[in-house]
Amino acid sequence: MTTATTRHSDRRVSPVFVGILAVTAVTGWATWSGFAEQPGVAVFLFVTAAWVVSLCLHEYAHARTALHSGDITVGSKGYLTLNPMKYTHALLSIVLPVVFVIMGGIGLPGGAVFIERQRIRGRWRHSLISAAGPLTNVVFAAVCTAPFWLHALDGVPAQFRYALAFLALLQVTAALLNFLPVPGLDGYGVIEPWLSYRVKRQVEPFAPFGLLFVFALLWVPAVNREFFDVIDAILRGLGVTDNDTSYGYSLYRFWD
C-alpha cells in the first residue's frame, strides 16, 4: 500500500553503506586471520565500521516501520537507502556515537530520522516506530553474542573473539540506553502516545536535553559503575565474560 508510492531509487542501497560494509568485512577478515601487522588497528576499524553499520540499520528500522505505518515521505528523504549522510542530524547519528565509543566504550544511541508523525494513525504504530530502532540493536547484540552462548568459539582467534565481545557490549549499551523512558530517547517515544496531553506538554521542553542528562549522569562514578554492572550481568548471561569485553576495549584503543 504505502510502498507503491515510494520510487525504487528511494529504496536503493547507498554506495556509502556498501563501502562501510566492505570495510567491516575486510577488517573483520584481517582480525580473524591475523593478517594485519597491528591487530589493534584492524580491531579498531572492524568494530567502528560494524558499529556504524548498526547505526544505519537502527535508523533504517525507524524509517521502514514509519513507511509501513503511513509516512510515505521517508523514501524521498533518503532514509531507506541506508546512507548515513542522509540523516537529518548526521552529527548525532554517526559522529557522536563513534566519538563516545572511542572515549568511553559506550554505545551512544543515535537519533536522526524525521518522521512526519501526523501521517501515522494509531498509538501502537507510533510506539512501534520508536521501538524499531533499539530492537535492531537487540538483534545485533544477539548475533554478536550467539557464538558465545552457543559455545562456537573453539579455535577462533582471540583477537576476533575480543573484538566481537566489545561490539556486543556497544549493542547492549545502545539498546539499554535507548529504551530508557527519557524524553528525547526512543523509550520515551514508545510510551509517549499513551500519555495524557497535559503530561506531554509538561515534558516537551525537556526533550532536547534528555540525552545530555543521561550522559551527564553516566559521568558520575557511582552511576557509571552501576550501569556497567548491569551491562556486564547481561553479557555474562549471554556467555560473554568481563575479560572478553575488557581485552576487546584494550585492543580497540590501540593507541594507549
Side-chain angles (χ1 to χ4, degrees):
M1 179 176 66
T2 54
T3 53
T5 59
T6 306
R7 297 174 300 176
H8 177 69
S9 60
D10 292 337
R11 304 191 304 271
R12 188 176 298 146
V13 177
S14 162
V16 176
F17 182 75
V18 173
I20 298 170
L21 275 180
V23 172
T24 305
V26 170
T27 54
W29 170 81
T31 302
W32 177 283
S33 65
F35 180 79
E37 292 185 8
Q38 295 186 336
V41 175
V43 169
F44 174 82
L45 292 174
F46 168 61
V47 172
T48 301
W51 173 235
V52 173
V53 167
S54 74
L55 293 172
C56 293
L57 292 174
H58 176 114
E59 303 301 343
Y60 175 83
H62 284 308
R64 192 76 191 189
T65 308
L67 173 67
H68 290 289
S69 298
D71 184 2
I72 60 176
T73 69
V74 292
S76 62
K77 294 170 184 173
Y79 297 151
L80 301 178
T81 65
L82 288 163
N83 184 353
M85 305 308 295
K86 293 294 185 179
Y87 298 148
T88 52
H89 298 292
L91 177 66
L92 285 178
S93 288
I94 302 298
V95 178
L96 279 182
V98 171
V99 168
F100 270 86
V101 169
I102 293 172
M103 289 176 57
I106 297 175
L108 173 73
V113 299
F114 176 72
I115 306 298
E116 296 190 12
R117 292 280 181 171
Q118 70 276 12
R119 294 176 178 267
I120 312 299
R121 295 292 178 267
R123 291 184 292 184
W124 281 108
R125 290 181 178 179
H126 283 280
S127 295
L128 185 58
I129 290 169
S130 294
L135 285 175
T136 303
N137 295 111
V138 171
V139 172
F140 214 109
V143 171
C144 290
T145 58
F148 292 88
W149 49 265
L150 289 174
H151 306 290
L153 289 171
D154 291 341
V156 172
Q159 293 161 357
F160 187 83
R161 175 192 180 102
Y162 299 147
L164 204 58
F166 181 55
L167 183 59
L169 179 144
L170 297 181
Q171 299 302 326
V172 172
T173 58
L176 187 60
L177 288 173
N178 244 320
F179 270 127
L180 292 176
V182 175
L185 297 180
D186 290 328
Y188 178 76
V190 172
I191 66 171
E192 183 182 24
W194 308 90
L195 300 177
S196 68
Y197 177 76
R198 181 179 62 83
V199 171
K200 286 189 283 189
R201 285 296 302 270
Q202 291 175 338
V203 171
E204 187 178 358
F206 302 100
F209 310 105
L211 186 59
L212 293 176
F213 173 73
V214 168
F215 277 90
L217 278 180
L218 286 176
W219 285 110
V220 178
V223 175
N224 185 277
R225 184 167 54 252
E226 291 295 327
F227 174 75
F228 275 101
D229 283 346
V230 172
I231 298 297
D232 290 340
I234 294 172
L235 289 170
R236 282 195 298 271
L238 295 170
V240 182
T241 69
D242 298 355
N243 284 338
D244 289 328
T245 54
S246 179
Y247 285 136
Y249 185 50
S250 297
L251 277 172
Y252 183 81
R253 292 178 59 88
F254 66 92
W255 56 88
D256 282 351

